[in-house]
Amino acid sequence: MPPTPRPLRIALVLLLPALVALAGCSTPDPGAAGAPANATSLPKFYDAKALLDAVGDRERADGGALTVLNGTLDPPGTGTVEAGAPTPPGRRAVTGDGVLRFADGAVSTRFDQRLGPAGAAPRTTGAVRTAGRTWLRLPGAPGWSEVGRAQVAQPDLADATLATNIAGMADPLAGVTRYADAALVAEAQDESLGDVATVRYTIVVDLVRAAAAETDPTLRAQLTQQVAGGLTRISSTVWVDRDQRPVRGRLRQELPGAGTLDLVTDYRSWGTPVTVAPPT
């Protein structure tokens, strides 16, 4: 008997559950004490809100960029896999490419996601997110389905969950910008990506403070539940160039029913004219 379709109501995981130790923060002055002194060092922010504001201003000024996805999805229950450890059974490669658009105070994206075991033909899922709504074109489906309204068969749930969450986290700092007042810069380190000089920032959010300040009852309940479960801090890692453009972002998170995602997104060609519209 074929699997019974179910409503496409995918949980959107807005936060990145990666624990890190908090470090001290200083002022946002790029020349503040603690910044590396060598001549090749880029200016840095040591205040999270100043950094988020600077990156957000640059994203809106540029308007759009191209994106490239590379990562892995491990089966549910795998947990954290240390570098150099054997590849977990059931690991699937995640790749893709698309576009990102910032306009009218909102972020929109469209991309093709490819998911499958290494060396095998991947399953391709199309995704569009704009104006707070998400549509998916699932593998083998004849057209587009809107998340929360359409039906999805059991074999497509991992593809749908993955694409929905990648779409929701298209902005590399989406998981921490909402809680800027509860965030701090835990690390600001010079790092070259190819021939591009960047600063690798680790930004940490104190979930206790974030929950106390949250005005949305649903999100406040989610944050309170995470704190009660022992998750008191979340982090996001982003690589930013000299002009405060994101060059790369990395997220690691547990996606309910899909598995553990470890994804690197590269951002290219900032300023490229980009349009993202609901699919027809």
Side-chain angles (χ1 to χ4, degrees), residues 30-44 46 188-190:
N38 70 70
T40 62
S41 177
L42 294 186
K44 297 174 180 64
Y46 296 92
Q189 181 68 43
D190 288 297

Side-chain angles (χ1 to χ4, degrees), residues 107-257:
V107 183
S108 300
T109 186
R110 55 179 167 83
F111 59 88
D112 285 325
Q113 163 192 294
R114 295 177 287 276
L115 174 65
R123 292 163 56 88
T124 300
T125 299
V128 171
R129 181 169 175 82
T130 186
R133 300 167 66 186
T134 302
W135 292 263
L136 304 178
R137 187 188 62 247
L138 293 165
W144 293 85
S145 302
E146 184 174 356
V147 172
R149 298 190 179 186
Q151 303 288 321
V152 61
Q154 182 71 30
D156 293 328
L157 280 176
D159 301 273
T161 300
L162 180 61
T164 299
N165 280 276
I166 291 176
M169 299 298 294
D171 180 350
L173 294 175
V176 296
T177 299
R178 182 180 182 90
Y179 306 109
D181 291 337
L184 62 80
V185 174
E187 182 181 38
Q189 181 68 43
D190 288 297
E191 185 171 319
S192 294
L193 298 179
D195 60 355
V196 179
T198 73
V199 178
R200 184 185 73 244
Y201 287 102
T202 300
I203 307 164
V204 180
V205 176
D206 181 337
L207 292 190
V208 176
R209 289 179 58 193
E214 180 57 64
T215 58
D216 183 295
T218 300
L219 291 178
R220 185 170 61 249
Q222 178 189 13
L223 290 168
T224 301
Q225 183 178 16
Q226 288 177 312
V227 171
L231 182 64
T232 58
R233 298 166 182 167
I234 61 168
S235 70
S236 182
T237 304
V238 63
W239 287 254
V240 176
D241 71 9
R242 183 180 301 274
D243 297 314
Q244 315 312 326
R245 293 182 176 92
V247 177
R248 174 174 292 174
R250 184 178 186 184
L251 66 87
R252 287 179 287 185
Q253 61 189 126
E254 186 72 28
L255 302 181

Side-chain angles (χ1 to χ4, degrees), residues 93-110:
V94 180
T95 60
D97 50 78
V99 300
L100 184 65
R101 174 173 167 78
F102 293 83
D104 303 321
V107 183
S108 300
T109 186
R110 55 179 167 83

